[in-house]
Amino acid sequence: MKRSTLSEIARLAGVNPSTVSRALNPAAATLISKEQRERIIALCDKLNYRPKRAARGCATGKSYTVGYVSGALHQDLSSPFISRYIAEISRELQQNGYSLSLLSVDGLRGDLHDSVRSILLSDMADGYIIGSGLVRQQEEDIFKCTGRPILTLGYHNFKHDTHFPSVEINIEEAVALIWQIIAANLQDHSCCFFGNPTVSSSAKISKIRKYAPPGSLVSEFFIPDPVNNSLMDYAQAEETAEKLHRELFARKVIWCGSDLVGAGLCAVMEKHGVEPGKDIMVIGYDHLASAVPKFPCDLATIDPCWEKAGNVTARKILELIANPEKHSVSEVINAIFVPGKTMPFQVKKYTATNCNTIFQEEKK
């Protein structure tokens, strides 16, 4: 079937070609009435008309694409949480007439600097989203040379030197709140962190130590030689916890790098007759139950609010593309503590607003 043109659709609809363009552009659709838009779309469906992105790009000088640059794309997509973050970015962009392009740079298979440069020199996107951990001084200089807006995703307010605007996931309030609840209910604060040896784990440990009650030590137990696939966290945690169970079970509180790590740990605890939440408090990370409702282990956990972060990230990069000269302020997404059976204390009387400095003040 021969495809109709925009001019033909406009003539049949009795409107200007610009009105047809607005009707088919999600970002501009609100500029015309709902009835007019539905009539134009019905005509387009009947006559097999779809706008050509290339032509739209030639007219505006834009690609209508945002690049998501990852140094470990296989890990991102294997994570039920990062993948939800990416999906939310894509959904929000699509509603505004943009698409998301996944761009992989792998420093393990070559020079990271060259990998980043080859992607950016292709100029395939109007803006880029990158993890702050991917930006070193050399890569930052390359990103600046593109002349395109750059937005970084920061984890747990981990210190980085990038000068780009960012969306930060902040776990400080959640960690401080958990410590406040533990200190009010337990005499023994002996604790440890159990998870994969990653930059993200280092950031979590620094916050756990920052808000720990005075005199509390935070030991570290890492999974040796972890497979870089989030779906393997449970099996690897279970195997490692079995080998280290005497050392782990000597603690009263165990902070886990993820809910899957926490679930693997709880399985080993129950095998040895140790009851999670009664004998030892277990705190996860990611709020897996929100993505997998039938997740069997009712963990107390920290929810980084990945979907909200994805929505904010998409809106932020679109704002930067629309106003590249405007100074943009970074945004912070505060993680939320989600109670569960593995830390069964009442939370109602505790609030994050008054616990940020509680232990810092005591240490002075």
Side-chain angles (χ1 to χ4, degrees), residues 260-271:
L260 285 170
V261 168
L265 170 66
C266 287
V268 175
M269 290 172 66
E270 291 167 355
K271 176 182 175 182

Side-chain angles (χ1 to χ4, degrees), residues 180 183 189 211-215 357-364:
Q180 186 184 25
H189 302 151
Y211 292 100
T357 59
I358 181 170
F359 296 124
Q360 291 178 320
E361 290 175 354
E362 290 180 6
K363 291 175 181 177
K364 290 182 180 179

